[in-house]
């Protein structure tokens, strides 16, 4: 079912079976002409009013559609969490090693240029790990709600 209205009279709703198409608009125009002939149209239409000027009335999304959208979003959030968890796990050991090496900068020990260069390259790994870990922590918080949405959607109806 598709519904149309007029810009001049938004309270008039013309309902036609099918989807929005040229044929459906023609059927709506037929209904409009019947209303005009019966004197039930509260406004005068200007000369040349055609089917393309009808405005399609969109129904507010139903609960099932918004429920499906929330399930889809929940799955995406959980998928993102899984990806971030893998990234954090893959870089954790190397990042912790580099973190330990950072302590040498704060000691009175002498360091070689080679050790400093290794540290500088390690900072990229450390930064990537730290950023991924922060994103993972944020995603985990969001994923708690996503998990609840998914659990609710997976519940079987009680009889």
């Amino acid at each position: 079912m598709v519904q149309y209205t007029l810009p001049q009279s938004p309270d008039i709703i013309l309902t036609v079976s099918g989807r929005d198409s040229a044929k459906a608009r023609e059927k709506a125009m037929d209904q409009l002409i019947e209303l005009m002939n019966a004197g039930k149209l509260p406004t005068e239409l200007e000369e040349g009013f055609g089917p393309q000027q009808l405005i399609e009335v969109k129904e507010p999304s139903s609960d099932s559609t918004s429920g499906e959208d929330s399930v889809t979003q929940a799955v995406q959030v959980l998928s993102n969490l899984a990806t971030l968890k893998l990234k954090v796990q893959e870089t954790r050991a190397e990042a912790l090693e580099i973190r330990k090496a950072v302590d040498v900068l704060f000691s009175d020990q002498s360091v070689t240029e080679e050790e400093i260069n290794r540290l500088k390259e390690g900072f990229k790994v450390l930064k990537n790990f730290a950023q991924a870990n922060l994103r993972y922590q944020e995603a985990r918080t969001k994923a708690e709600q996503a998990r609840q949405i998914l659990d609710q959607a997976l519940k079987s109806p009680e009889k």
Side-chain angles (χ1 to χ4, degrees), residues 7 24 42 65 68 79 81-82 93 103 109 113 118 137 147-149 155:
T65 304
E68 289 172 14
S79 176
L81 179 68
D103 290 341
Q109 275 179 263
E113 189 175 332
R118 244 185 288 129
Q137 296 300 327
R147 181 167 54 173
Q148 290 173 355
I149 289 169
K155 252 187 205 174

Side-chain angles (χ1 to χ4, degrees), residues 59-139:
E59 288 293 316
S61 61
S62 66
D63 288 345
S64 64
T65 304
S66 64
E68 289 172 14
D69 289 346
S70 64
V71 167
T72 301
Q73 287 176 338
V75 169
Q76 287 172 339
V77 167
L78 292 169
S79 176
N80 183 43
L81 179 68
T83 302
L84 288 169
K85 183 173 180 115
L86 272 179
K87 189 170 185 172
V88 166
Q89 285 178 346
E90 289 169 357
T91 56
R92 173 177 274 128
E94 190 178 358
L96 291 176
E97 239 177 73
I98 295 163
R99 172 58 188 92
K100 286 179 194 171
V102 168
D103 290 341
V104 80
L105 295 173
F106 297 95
S107 72
D108 291 335
Q109 275 179 263
S110 62
V111 275
T112 66
E113 189 175 332
E114 186 182 310
E115 288 174 311
I116 296 294
N117 287 337
R118 244 185 288 129
L119 263 177
K120 284 183 178 180
E121 288 197 21
F123 290 153
K124 293 175 192 170
V125 173
L126 204 55
K127 180 184 119 188
N128 289 339
F129 168 75
Q131 288 175 334
N133 196 36
L134 286 173
R135 286 195 305 268
Y136 171 70
Q137 296 300 327
E138 290 171 8

Side-chain angles (χ1 to χ4, degrees), residues 17-33:
S17 62
R19 291 186 169 170
D20 183 28
S21 65
K23 191 174 181 179
R25 287 178 177 270
E26 286 299 327
K27 288 180 184 177
M29 281 299 290
D30 291 342
Q31 287 182 18
L32 183 60
I33 291 169

